[in-house]
Amino acid sequence: MKVIVCKDYDDMSKKAADLVISNIIEKPQIKLGLATGSSPVGLYQYLIKANDEGEISFKYAKSINLDEYVGIDSENEHSYKYFMKKNFFDHVSFNEGTNILPKAKDNDEKYAKDYDKILDEFGQRDIQILGIGENGHVAFNEPADKLNRRTSIVKLADSTIEANSRFFASKEDVPKYAISMGMADIFNAKTIILLANGKKKHQAVKRLLEDESLSTDFPAGFLSLHPNVYIYVDEEAYRG
Ligand code: GLP
């Protein structure tokens, strides 16, 4: 794992964006794995800027996302689809239909199987952008006795509901379930870029960098098995 300690959120976003930009210049038909959450918003802004300035284009690129809340309409402002449109897709030059997100109307595992098929057709991603949960979750793979290799419907940890309630009117409004790409598919990317900023992420970052054991109660730890991971972390998350 290559660790890049950045001054602050903006510096982290810019440095990570530079890596993505150079990959897009090299391979315009890039396949991107994208993430939601506050961590990648700055990176998306730098990609939008590079697109606006003509440095890159997403015309030949495709993207696929990690996760989505269960039972949430894509027009709902809390859906990850809405988030991606607002923060990224509406501002760049992707061709219509090339941005894929999972969807699940209810807890039926058939939605997970459907997404596995879509992932298989999509093929290996060149880059996967990732955030990290305060509890070490990746996408919505929560700490548990077992982790899933492939897509599943997951019950969100209380701590995740708490952390994500900042985006909702109240904690009660946060969906209790999500559909999430599994660990094997997340890692099926040539390069992984993990973003972590702010004091709240310090414990997770410390464990990721210092604890050499692997445990399903810390899903992010499995990133160390991947040969090409870049961790962009700001001073606050790095030093606490
Ligand atoms: C959310 C998402 C994750 C995200 C993480 C961190 O629950 N499912 O994909 O990486 O939590 O979010 P944030 O970047 O807002 O801290």
Side-chain angles (χ1 to χ4, degrees):
M1 296 192 290
K2 300 163 202 65
V3 183
I4 301 101
V5 182
C6 308
K7 203 168 63 193
D8 52 22
Y9 181 76
D10 184 61
D11 189 37
M12 175 191 85
S13 304
K14 176 148 194 352
K15 289 202 166 100
D18 285 345
L19 180 61
V20 179
I21 290 167
S22 63
N23 274 267
I24 297 171
I25 291 171
E26 204 174 295
K27 186 179 181 187
Q29 70 280 26
I30 195 162
K31 291 182 187 174
L32 296 169
L34 301 178
T36 51
S38 49
S39 310
V41 170
L43 178 153
Y44 294 145
Q45 283 167 358
Y46 276 110
L47 295 182
I48 293 167
K49 185 166 174 271
N51 178 79
D52 287 350
E53 290 169 356
E55 193 184 352
I56 53 170
S57 158
F58 291 90
K59 202 166 164 221
Y60 303 105
K62 285 183 187 172
S63 76
I64 192 154
N65 264 69
L66 292 169
D67 47 15
E68 177 62 282
Y69 291 117
V70 162
I72 202 161
D73 193 74
S74 59
E75 301 310 313
N76 185 313
E77 59 174 322
H78 297 303
S79 75
Y80 282 172
K81 184 155 188 190
Y82 187 94
F83 175 99
M84 288 307 303
K85 275 166 68 64
K86 187 174 115 212
N87 288 293
F88 192 36
F89 300 151
D90 280 354
H91 310 281
V92 290
S93 47
F94 279 104
N95 275 333
E96 217 185 309
T98 52
N99 303 122
I100 305 165
L101 278 97
K103 34 181 177 223
K105 284 199 183 118
D106 55 42
N107 290 358
D108 193 330
E109 281 289 335
K110 85 174 165 85
Y111 296 107
K113 295 272 164 293
D114 289 347
Y115 206 52
D116 284 343
K117 275 192 214 125
I118 292 169
L119 279 160
D120 290 343
E121 278 161 27
F122 192 88
Q124 189 183 37
R125 278 144 285 139
D126 296 288
I127 290 181
Q128 176 64 55
I129 310 289
L130 278 185
I132 183 171
E134 289 168 37
N135 63 359
H137 75 218
V138 280
F140 273 128
N141 294 279
E142 298 281 17
D145 292 341
K146 288 180 189 174
L147 295 173
N148 292 303
R149 286 197 299 215
R150 304 223 64 195
T151 310
S152 63
I153 306 284
V154 276
K155 187 171 191 317
L156 301 185
D158 280 347
S159 58
T160 301
I161 293 175
E162 181 72 49
N164 289 6
S165 65
R166 69 189 193 278
F167 298 115
F168 292 80
S170 78
K171 198 176 152 187
E172 285 62 47
D173 293 335
V174 184
K176 307 290 175 281
Y177 290 86
I179 179 168
S180 177
M181 210 187 270
M183 300 298 282
D185 287 300
I186 291 173
F187 293 163
N188 183 20
K190 289 182 194 154
T191 298
I192 294 180
I193 295 178
L194 178 92
L195 302 163
N197 66 284
K199 278 199 169 54
K200 283 186 173 169
K201 299 291 170 75
H202 175 62
Q203 285 310 325
V205 168
K206 189 169 152 58
R207 183 162 175 189
L208 176 61
L209 302 183
E210 291 177 9
D211 186 351
E212 294 196 346
S213 65
L214 294 174
S215 164
T216 57
D217 76 3
F218 189 67
F222 289 87
L223 280 166
S224 59
L225 299 176
H226 191 282
N228 204 23
V229 178
Y230 292 82
I231 300 175
Y232 290 89
V233 58
D234 76 348
E235 289 276 354
E236 285 192 344
Y238 189 68
R239 297 191 211 286

